[in-house]
Each structure stands twice: as C-alpha cells, then as structure tokens.
C-alpha cells in the first residue's frame, strides 16, 4: 500500500522503508506558507526548504548569501503549513563547515526556531565530524553530494559532476561515509545516471536525485522551476508541469486592463 493513504507524518524510518519496499520518494522545495500547504495537500512526502531560496526568492546568482536567519524565516513558514510532509531544511553556507560546535549551534537554532524535522548539509568526508555531532544530538541529517551549489566557486560552473573516475570514486566513498555517520538519506545532484544508480544500489539509505537519473530512490525539483515560474533556467533534467510565468503575466495584464477600463471592481465587488 502506498504511504500516501495511511501516514500522519512522514518520518525518516518511513522513507527508509519506502526504499526497502521499492516505493519512490517525492520531494519538492518550498519556501513559503501558501505554496507549502498546497504541496503538502498534494501528497509530496518531503518539503525541502532549500537554500535555492537565494536564487528563486531573492534573485541572487548563487546560494552563498543565504544566512541562517533567512533560512529560519523560510523554514518556519513551511513548517507551519505542513501537516503530513517531512520538512527538511538546508543549513546555509558558512553555518556548519567550520567547527563542530558551530555546526551543532546552527542545527539547534534551526530545529528550535523553525520547527523543522530534519536538516540537509552539503559535503562528504570533509564535514563528517560535524554531521556526526548533529546526528548524535538527535537531529536527522540528509547528505548532499555531486553538484553542491555552496561550493560553486570551487567547481567554476553548474555542470555535471563526477564524470571523471577520481571524482566518481570520491563520491562513492562520501556516500558510504554519510550512511555510516547515520544520515537518513542523501541528495545526489547533477551526476551521471549510471553512477547515481550504482550509489543507490550500494546504500541502504535512500538517494534523492536531481539531474541524477531514474536509478535514484526518489526525485527532487525546485518548485519554481517545475511550475514554470522561473523563465530562463532550462536544464535537461527539468520537467515543467505548468507554465505559471505565462499565466501570471496574462492575469496581471488583464487586471491592469480591468482597472484602467473601470471594469474592476463591479457592483458585486464593492461594499
Ligand atoms: O537548495 C535546494 O533547492 C537544493 C535542491 C536543488 C536539492 O538543495
């Protein structure tokens, strides 16, 4: 039976069971109360409060400017909306890569002030002690490997990662280390599909792919992209389910015309 019919709140053990049972996991990003409420009602299992808010909400080129305060504001809005979905929040750049204590303090602030259920951190062995510290304090952690946008200036571009053997090998080691550290899942972003499938088969925890092919245990998309709100971002992996930018433009233009012509408001739309 699909989890959609019976579960009150999606938990980490449930997503692990979904992998075991071969049921794919759906994840979408969310940044605000109204959208999160709709996605939750639609049955999305995990709402990711991604630091991609920096791009789609704030208009930055990278995710680096996002602060812990920004992320807590977005995460709390989503957490207030989600009745059933697990709310997973990104820790932003600079909040967890330093000392173990910094990482722990950032994680605790996010959990206490936003009321989310789990945290996502980018990176593998380099930050494994910090991840372990967070997990040891009772907070579920999801890893994130492959294209990790907080390291964009090290990569140089947003291209496919781990195409070369050495990087692929490191990714496999990182994935295993994350699982051994106690992560409940790992996001694989923009890596070759055959590598993502191999990693997914080698792990007992679920992999959630974005631009990582069909072999992952689940999929995640940025909600603004899949709804067609973002206009100039067209990677190969993106499927647009709506063309909201066009619809909103038409609706706004109609409103402008109605206001100017005096058609709005009419007799029934006033007191
Ligand atoms: O911030 C984000 O939206 C993400 C997804 C792209 C996985 O990390």
């Amino acid at each position: 039976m699909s989890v959609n019919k019976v579960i009150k709140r999606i938990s980490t053990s449930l997503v692990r069971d979904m992998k075991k049972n071969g049921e794919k996991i759906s994840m979408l990003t969310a940044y605000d109360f109204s959208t999160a409420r709709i996605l939750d009602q639609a049955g999305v299992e995990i709402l990711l409060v991604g630091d991609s808010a920096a791009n789609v909400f704030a208009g930055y080129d990278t995710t680096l400017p996002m602060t812990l305060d920004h992320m807590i504001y977005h995460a709390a809005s989503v957490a207030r909306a989600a009745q059933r979905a697990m709310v997973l929040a990104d820790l932003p750049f600079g909040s967890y890569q330093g000392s173990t204590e910094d990482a722990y303090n950032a994680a605790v602030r996010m959990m206490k002030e936003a009321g989310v259920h789990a945290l996502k951190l980018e990176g593998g062995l380099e930050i494994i002690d910090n991840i372990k510290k967070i997990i040891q304090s009772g907070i579920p952690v999801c890893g994130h490997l492959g294209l990790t946008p907080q390291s964009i200036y090290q990569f140089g571009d947003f291209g496919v990662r781990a195409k070369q053997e050495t990087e692929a090998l490191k990714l496999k080691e990182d994935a295993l280390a994350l699982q051994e550290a106690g992560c409940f899942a790992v996001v694989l972003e923009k890596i070759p599909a055959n590598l993502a499938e191999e990693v997914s088969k080698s792990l007992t925890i679920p992999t959630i792919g974005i631009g990582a092919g069909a072999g992952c245990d689940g999929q995640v998309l940025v909600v603004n992209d899949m709804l067609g709100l973002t206009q100039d971002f067209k990677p190969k992996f993106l499927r647009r389910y709506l063309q909201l930018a066009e619809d909103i433009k038409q609706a706004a233009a109609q409103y402008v015309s109605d206001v100017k012509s005096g058609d709005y408001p009419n007799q029934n739309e006033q007191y």
Side-chain angles (χ1 to χ4, degrees):
M1 183 191 291
S2 160
V3 293
N4 284 331
K5 300 194 178 82
V6 287
I7 297 300
K8 278 208 179 113
R9 171 77 71 188
I10 304 296
S11 63
T12 54
S13 60
L14 192 98
V15 293
R16 231 177 282 126
D17 285 350
M18 287 173 75
K19 173 171 177 134
K20 229 182 279 168
N21 299 335
E23 182 175 354
K24 297 276 188 182
I25 300 156
S26 62
M27 184 192 286
L28 280 175
T29 66
Y31 317 101
D32 67 279
F33 179 87
S34 305
T35 311
R37 193 152 174 243
I38 298 166
L39 302 181
D40 187 53
Q41 289 167 352
V44 178
E45 276 112 12
I46 305 177
L47 298 181
L48 170 64
V49 187
D51 59 357
S52 51
N55 312 115
V56 298
F57 236 83
Y60 290 114
D61 287 339
T62 76
T63 57
L64 274 68
M66 218 58 188
T67 66
L68 188 56
D69 285 337
H70 291 146
M71 288 304 297
I72 288 172
Y73 172 80
H74 286 291
S77 309
V78 172
R80 282 190 287 272
Q83 300 291 308
R84 175 183 166 279
M86 177 197 299
V87 180
L88 170 67
D90 269 339
L91 283 187
F93 175 69
S95 69
Y96 62 91
Q97 295 95 339
S99 68
T100 300
E101 200 182 334
D102 283 350
Y104 170 77
N105 288 336
V108 168
R109 267 201 71 199
M110 178 63 87
M111 298 301 287
K112 274 186 189 286
E113 295 177 38
V116 300
H117 311 116
L119 304 177
K120 179 164 78 58
L121 281 69
E122 296 183 8
L125 282 160
E126 316 79 48
I127 56 158
I128 208 72
D129 289 340
N130 299 3
I131 288 179
K132 280 183 188 162
K133 173 71 180 169
I134 295 172
I135 293 172
Q136 279 158 12
S137 68
I139 301 169
V141 171
C142 175
H144 184 158
L145 299 173
L147 176 62
T148 46
Q150 293 177 15
S151 306
I152 191 59
Y153 290 123
Q154 231 168 35
F155 297 149
D157 59 44
F158 288 96
V160 178
R161 302 306 311 173
K163 287 199 282 193
Q164 308 299 330
E165 189 55 35
T166 40
E167 197 178 336
L169 199 63
K170 174 167 170 21
L171 188 141
K172 289 187 236 179
E173 287 166 4
D174 282 341
L176 206 58
L178 290 173
Q179 173 170 280
E180 281 168 4
C183 286
F184 75 93
V186 56
V187 165
L188 299 177
E189 180 164 353
K190 227 168 173 191
I191 62 171
N194 56 0
L195 174 62
E197 185 173 1
E198 185 187 339
V199 171
S200 303
K201 282 185 176 152
S202 73
L203 298 180
T204 54
I205 59 172
T207 60
I208 313 288
I210 174 162
C216 295
D217 303 302
Q219 298 293 327
V220 55
L221 284 176
V222 168
V223 72
N224 297 50
D225 296 338
M226 60 85 77
L227 294 178
L229 268 171
T230 44
Q231 293 171 281
D232 37 15
F233 182 62
K234 295 174 182 158
K236 184 179 178 187
F237 67 80
L238 176 60
R239 185 179 294 182
R240 288 194 198 280
Y241 289 81
L242 286 175
Q243 306 294 338
L244 269 193
E246 280 315 307
D247 291 349
I248 292 173
K249 223 183 283 173
Q250 273 177 32
Q254 185 63 53
Y255 170 75
V256 171
S257 158
D258 290 352
V259 169
K260 290 191 183 299
S261 70
D263 182 77
Y264 177 80
N266 65 25
Q267 287 293 323
N268 297 326
E269 291 165 329
Q270 59 194 12
Y271 300 101

